[in-house]
Amino acid sequence: MDSLANGQTKQTDIGKPTNPMVSALLCDMYQFTMAYAYWKADKHLNRAVFDLLHRKNPFRGEYTIFAGLEECIRFAANFHFEQYEIDYLRTIMPSTCEDAFFQYLQSVDCSDVEIYAIPEGSVVFPRVPLIRVEGPVLVAQLLETAFLNLVNYASLVATNAARHRQVAGSEKTLMEFGLRRAQGPDGGMSASKYCYLGGFDATSNVDAGQRFGIPVRGTHSHAFVSSFMGLEEIADRCLQYSSGKRTCNDFVSLTQQWLSKLQAVPSFRGLFSETNQSELAAFISYAISLPTRFQALVDTFDVLRSGIPNFCAVALALSELGYNALGIRLDSGDLAYLSKQTRKFFRTVEKEFAVEGFGQLVITASNDINEETLDALNKQGHEIDAFGIGTHLVTCSTQPALGCVYKLVEINKQPRMKLSQDIEKVTIPCKKEAYRLYGVEGYALVDIMKGEAEPPPKAEERLLCRHPFSESRRAHVVPQRVEKLYKCFWAGNSGVPREPLPSLAEAKARCKEQLEAMRPDHLRSLNPTPYKVSVTAKLYDFIHFLWLSEAPVGELR
Amino acid sequence: MDSLANGQTKQTDIGKPTNPMVSALLCDMYQFTMAYAYWKADKHLNRAVFDLLHRKNPFRGEYTIFAGLEECIRFAANFHFEQYEIDYLRTIMPSTCEDAFFQYLQSVDCSDVEIYAIPEGSVVFPRVPLIRVEGPVLVAQLLETAFLNLVNYASLVATNAARHRQVAGSEKTLMEFGLRRAQGPDGGMSASKYCYLGGFDATSNVDAGQRFGIPVRGTHSHAFVSSFMGLEEIADRCLQYSSGKRTCNDFVSLTQQWLSKLQAVPSFRGLFSETNQSELAAFISYAISLPTRFQALVDTFDVLRSGIPNFCAVALALSELGYNALGIRLDSGDLAYLSKQTRKFFRTVEKEFAVEGFGQLVITASNDINEETLDALNKQGHEIDAFGIGTHLVTCSTQPALGCVYKLVEINKQPRMKLSQDIEKVTIPCKKEAYRLYGVEGYALVDIMKGEAEPPPKAEERLLCRHPFSESRRAHVVPQRVEKLYKCFWAGNSGVPREPLPSLAEAKARCKEQLEAMRPDHLRSLNPTPYKVSVTAKLYDFIHFLWLSEAPVGELR
């Protein structure tokens, strides 16, 4: 990276991309054919402005969490072609391509590029560009696919995580368990990183824990239970007391004694009479190994007749030695019912045996959970404290792609506008600035875009906000506070002061703050209120002037 | 890798994982807590057999393409812990964990592991394990998440690609365009690789082309068209003839002449009267740059009134210089209608101007295409030769996850069986062999599993095939040919002869062959016939003996 920093503001906080898969070939082929055509037409240094934006919020919602920016900036900072990459490009480009082009590619980097963006973790809305890339058209165009790739899934899954958090409520523990269902190792890494950003507390993914400092969680699987035949397998039955001063020489018998006591509790009689011995062996063995972290998966055989009594027996034995068990995990069945029954048992145990805190042991659930399941559980009532969420979270199964696009909006100071018969696909031309206007209650009211040369909106000044395409939709706003949305995150050698890249923890904190600054009706799952995105009167007039002059007669209505 | 090969059969064809993101920490946390518990209970060297299998075919279909095996084998071959990884594990495991465990982890590798699998690219079915891992329970358990991660998405997207190929037909060109919508760079790489395996011809992803030798394709984007203002921008108007012996000094005027000629064709009159000049400039510039690869995106303004006549004018001018244009790409609108109109124009041009082959120029379509769109286009009739498919293909939007599981089926020669009230979730115990039986017409009839000790099925010998769980479903089969499904792909230091890893091209060829050996009714989209998976009579009896002995009374019905 430093070799690229010819004269530019020193960017010491930007290292390599976190993903070593990332190379400058992370491109669609057409970017190279276009690069050649730009170069051949001597247009390659034309100064272009590209907007990266989304046109629609995902999951039938009315907001999106912006994520992936840090990776984009690292990509830009390290952007250059290795010799082997250029050698490869020669083989896929037509033999008519001039050698000087490939020599030119060797010198291409992002030192003449500036990147402005909304900070990572922000709540964002369709049409307001998330990233603005300014630079020579050839290199700015080459960034297209990598930026889309790095932003699309990151923002999608962060939004999905935020939505799960909204439904689950702030007091629940949410854990991402999706590594095995993600699109390969890096898909899993992105999922863990951006679910954490969007509001999750932890991940099962150890590698993501190591790379990003995300807390990791996990207990054991059904296979662990199945690997035991019976109690006779437990060779070493000793367990030291928590105090470290004494040792229990037969933790197996101690547990069996507690199981008998449980079976004698009047309200449990009959229910707890026949627990699975291989499951009990597995629980005991796990507890002897990890007495400070005892959490059991209780549904290998039968949750209420075997898993829960076996767990309680081991937890009570641990308690006698001074250890607090963590709780249980449910991975199948009727989670609402099972969690309520389990809580009832835990409370009875607490009362019967006077073990403080037993009634509040953590109940974790983890079977095919999604936003709808969380909502249904809330409606039914449940006693689950923590959720492990995998498949639906990381694959974003209700909408597995976010459709960010990368559009040319200006070249050599000339505004460019992509017309379309589909109004959603029309892009807003020019290099723009964007602001968020806040009202008296501290909530965000509206986002507004303006042309570069216009003065910025000011707090407590009346401002006309217009829908970009609809003549009749307009409103006057007097903001209490005005937030400028774009900051410079990559300055190249322009000398523009540059923001440091926020840490993952900072982006996560920003996401939380920004969600708190949204009116709750914009965030709700069912029929959320659309948040308004507007343009200034001047930009409105300019868009429509350009539209009329660009559109062939009769083509657009 | 070589440093791990302490005495084992030399495996020179297995290098590093293709994805450098892959480390031994690619694990869910519970694998480490279990590893510690196995070690602490002195069970860690117990010889375990794990089956990796899926329970349901994706996309409401009746088949799955197995992919991801090569990556699993590379993962196993390179499996070991680096010091920094062990240091990290110490920080996330409880402080009560013994130091000797972490020392032991330093010695863990796959030299005592054997991996048997169905070859990559095979057509596979639920319940028949795709991979069988045999080894010490600690290390075999540690492979779980990585193997699931590497197989789940690979197999899902390969199956999706195969289904798209089935619907599109063998003569169409299918290109994967999904990089920007995949789960990060590696998600995109996996998508490109496994779509190629499943039957696609090419990708837009240049990096995947470089890494895997997949043909890459691409033209230009709307931004390229938008970057031009008009013909005056084209500074260098010269273009050499294809022969290399002459130069046309004003290719712009030549194109304009052809545009006038087109406008004069009686059947085009009126239609072709007002084409967009910036679009024309972009097309001419592209053609001057890449005359042997001229393919134009024709929908920036209006396909039939601007894009097609502009393309035809440039293509005719190129033709005069001895170059054959490739064709056009449609990225919006009614693809069936537009392709048919375009074909009509192309044929008229061929006839009017006697340009041989013009009627057959390639029409590519690329807007939000999926299996259903392809089917609908077939029903409507269309003239599209090539499809660029992105979002729906790579995100597998109709079912974004395959639910492979990794189940313990034997430990220390003791069969293990995961019971469940959901019959689909019951696993078939024991170390098994599996065979595919073929009938007289060469089609696959049924897959059959047997216990390790039973004799293998033989061609032309009558064999009873039983449904694994349903008493009444059974059939006698006399196979013409018997195929043993498992081969050893990783032998550790066992000395078992090992299959070399097939190349991507070989796996792709296998996929094609295997699909051709399936009866077409198993492959069709609508109401496909389920393919039968069976067990031998002896295995059936054993499963049910075990089931009765393991299940608590009254628990299972």
Side-chain angles (χ1 to χ4, degrees), chain B residues 11-189:
Chain B
Q11 310 224 339
T12 44
D13 63 330
I14 302 179
K16 295 243 169 249
T18 41
N19 183 347
M21 281 301 265
V22 171
S23 97
L25 294 186
L26 191 70
C27 252
D28 285 309
M29 179 61 187
Y30 74 1
Q31 273 120 27
F32 288 107
T33 50
M34 284 192 278
Y36 184 71
Y38 287 135
W39 177 83
K40 185 85 174 117
D42 204 23
K43 280 172 73 76
H44 55 293
L45 295 181
N46 286 8
R47 190 95 188 151
V49 181
F50 284 91
D51 280 349
L52 187 151
L53 67 148
H54 64 309
R55 292 159 171 166
K56 214 166 173 298
N57 290 306
F59 311 122
R60 298 188 191 176
E62 291 296 345
Y63 69 101
T64 303
I65 305 298
F66 173 42
L69 176 64
E70 178 205 359
E71 288 295 321
C72 291
I73 301 299
R74 288 183 198 278
F75 182 82
N78 291 281
F79 190 80
H80 71 285
F81 292 97
E82 300 283 346
Q83 189 57 51
Y84 81 92
E85 294 171 325
I86 291 177
D87 293 345
Y88 174 68
L89 288 174
R90 282 177 195 270
T91 70
I92 59 170
M93 294 291 284
S95 57
T96 53
C97 288
E98 294 172 33
D99 197 57
F101 170 70
F102 298 105
Q103 283 164 24
Y104 176 70
L105 276 189
Q106 290 187 313
S107 71
V108 167
D109 64 25
C110 286
S111 53
D112 287 329
V113 173
E114 288 163 53
I115 302 173
Y116 295 80
I118 302 179
E120 186 150 8
S122 297
V123 176
V124 293
F125 303 96
R127 291 208 184 101
V128 182
L130 308 174
I131 302 178
R132 186 177 77 221
V133 177
E134 305 174 31
V137 66
L138 182 146
V139 60
Q141 182 84 73
L142 282 173
L143 300 176
E144 174 180 9
T145 301
F147 274 35
L148 290 173
N149 175 282
L150 294 169
V151 168
N152 266 329
Y153 177 66
S155 299
L156 183 72
V157 80
T159 307
N160 205 17
R163 294 178 64 86
H164 280 75
R165 168 59 72 197
Q166 292 290 318
V167 180
S170 59
E171 68 291 349
K172 299 295 177 193
T173 298
L174 295 183
M175 297 171 290
E176 175 273 314
F177 278 8
L179 178 55
R180 60 190 59 192
R181 303 292 161 78
Q183 290 180 6
D186 171 51
M189 243 37 87

Side-chain angles (χ1 to χ4, degrees), chain B residues 345-543:
Chain B
F345 289 148
F346 285 173
R347 291 205 178 114
T348 305
V349 169
E350 170 157 0
K351 229 168 84 182
E352 285 287 334
F353 303 107
V355 186
E356 210 188 329
F358 209 99
Q360 275 70 57
L361 288 182
V362 173
I363 299 175
T364 300
S366 62
N367 183 35
D368 240 12
I369 290 166
N370 60 21
E371 208 184 318
E372 287 70 45
T373 325
L374 290 175
D375 188 50
L377 283 169
N378 287 345
K379 282 173 183 149
Q380 291 168 67
H382 67 85
E383 287 287 344
I384 300 162
D385 306 293
F387 292 93
I389 312 184
T391 310
H392 297 291
L393 177 67
V394 309
T395 64
C396 301
S397 54
T398 50
Q399 184 188 324
L402 184 67
C404 280
V405 293
Y406 188 82
K407 293 291 171 191
L408 181 72
V409 292
E410 192 177 295
I411 188 161
N412 281 349
K413 298 274 173 198
Q414 295 294 311
R416 308 308 291 162
M417 187 169 173
K418 166 77 182 80
L419 300 178
S420 171
Q421 277 155 296
D422 180 355
I423 198 89
E424 249 185 20
K425 288 192 172 181
V426 174
T427 52
I428 300 174
C430 311
K431 178 169 164 180
K432 299 172 289 292
E433 284 297 336
Y435 298 84
R436 185 158 297 170
L437 310 185
Y438 291 87
V440 278
E441 287 166 318
Y443 288 130
L445 295 174
V446 63
D447 284 6
I448 188 163
M449 289 175 273
K450 69 165 192 73
E452 199 187 359
E454 292 183 65
K458 284 188 186 145
E460 297 179 21
E461 273 186 19
R462 192 175 133 105
L463 181 71
L464 181 61
C465 299
R466 298 200 61 166
H467 186 282
F469 305 118
S470 170
E471 172 72 32
S472 60
R473 290 159 73 186
R474 48 170 88 191
H476 279 100
V477 173
V478 183
Q480 283 296 301
R481 184 162 74 82
V482 171
E483 184 187 15
K484 190 176 182 208
L485 294 182
Y486 300 130
K487 294 180 174 172
C488 179
F489 285 96
W490 175 255
N493 56 15
S494 67
V496 174
R498 190 182 63 76
E499 291 288 314
L501 289 179
S503 67
L504 179 58
E506 285 163 344
K508 181 181 171 69
R510 179 167 182 88
C511 176
K512 192 160 177 283
E513 272 164 32
Q514 286 249 310
L515 285 166
E516 282 163 2
M518 293 305 299
R519 236 172 45 214
D521 58 307
H522 295 306
L523 306 180
R524 70 185 173 214
S525 292
L526 194 67
N527 297 326
T529 314
Y531 178 85
K532 288 190 181 57
V533 165
S534 66
V535 295
T536 59
K538 204 166 163 189
L539 183 54
Y540 178 90
D541 291 340
F542 185 71
I543 293 169

Side-chain angles (χ1 to χ4, degrees), chain A residues 479-544:
Chain A
Q480 284 296 301
R481 185 162 73 83
V482 171
E483 184 187 13
K484 191 179 181 204
L485 294 182
Y486 300 131
K487 293 180 175 173
C488 179
F489 284 97
W490 175 254
N493 56 15
S494 67
V496 174
R498 192 183 63 75
E499 292 288 314
L501 289 178
S503 67
L504 179 58
E506 286 164 343
K508 181 181 172 69
R510 179 168 182 87
C511 176
K512 192 160 177 284
E513 272 165 32
Q514 286 249 312
L515 285 167
E516 283 162 2
M518 293 304 299
R519 238 173 42 215
D521 58 306
H522 295 306
L523 305 180
R524 70 186 173 212
S525 291
L526 195 67
N527 297 326
T529 314
Y531 179 84
K532 287 191 182 58
V533 165
S534 66
V535 295
T536 59
K538 204 167 164 188
L539 183 54
Y540 178 90
D541 291 340
F542 185 70
I543 292 169
H544 292 264

Side-chain angles (χ1 to χ4, degrees), chain A residues 407-521:
Chain A
K407 293 291 171 190
L408 180 73
V409 291
E410 192 177 295
I411 187 162
N412 281 350
K413 298 278 175 194
Q414 295 293 311
R416 307 310 290 163
M417 186 170 174
K418 166 78 181 79
L419 301 178
S420 171
Q421 276 155 297
D422 180 356
I423 198 87
E424 248 185 23
K425 289 193 172 181
V426 174
T427 53
I428 299 175
C430 311
K431 178 170 166 180
K432 299 172 289 290
E433 285 297 337
Y435 298 84
R436 185 158 298 169
L437 310 184
Y438 292 87
V440 278
E441 287 166 318
Y443 288 131
L445 295 175
V446 62
D447 283 7
I448 188 163
M449 289 174 271
K450 68 165 192 73
E452 197 188 0
E454 292 182 65
K458 284 186 187 148
E460 297 179 22
E461 272 186 19
R462 190 176 135 105
L463 180 70
L464 180 62
C465 298
R466 298 202 61 168
H467 186 282
F469 305 119
S470 171
E471 172 72 34
S472 60
R473 290 159 72 186
R474 48 170 89 191
H476 279 100
V477 173
V478 183
Q480 284 296 301
R481 185 162 73 83
V482 171
E483 184 187 13
K484 191 179 181 204
L485 294 182
Y486 300 131
K487 293 180 175 173
C488 179
F489 284 97
W490 175 254
N493 56 15
S494 67
V496 174
R498 192 183 63 75
E499 292 288 314
L501 289 178
S503 67
L504 179 58
E506 286 164 343
K508 181 181 172 69
R510 179 168 182 87
C511 176
K512 192 160 177 284
E513 272 165 32
Q514 286 249 312
L515 285 167
E516 283 162 2
M518 293 304 299
R519 238 173 42 215
D521 58 306

Side-chain angles (χ1 to χ4, degrees), chain A residues 21 27-30 33 43 149 152 179-180 183 204 206 209 211 219 226-228 233 301 416 555, chain B residues 27-30 33 43 88 149 152 179-180 183 204 206 211 219 226-228 233 301 416 555:
Chain A
M21 281 300 266
C27 252
D28 285 308
M29 179 60 186
Y30 74 1
T33 52
K43 279 171 73 78
N149 173 282
N152 266 328
L179 178 55
R180 60 189 61 191
Q183 290 181 5
S204 64
V206 178
R211 283 172 207 264
T219 52
S226 304
S227 79
F228 284 81
E233 264 183 282
F301 299 98
R416 307 310 290 163
E555 188 197 342
Chain B
C27 252
D28 285 309
M29 179 61 187
Y30 74 1
T33 50
K43 280 172 73 76
Y88 174 68
N149 175 282
N152 266 329
L179 178 55
R180 60 190 59 192
Q183 290 180 6
S204 64
V206 178
R211 283 172 206 264
T219 52
S226 304
S227 79
F228 285 82
E233 265 183 281
F301 299 98
R416 308 308 291 162
E555 188 196 341

Side-chain angles (χ1 to χ4, degrees), chain A residues 306-321:
Chain A
S306 184
I308 294 296
N310 279 337
F311 165 79
C312 289
V314 177
L316 286 163
L318 278 177
S319 170
E320 203 177 315
L321 273 56

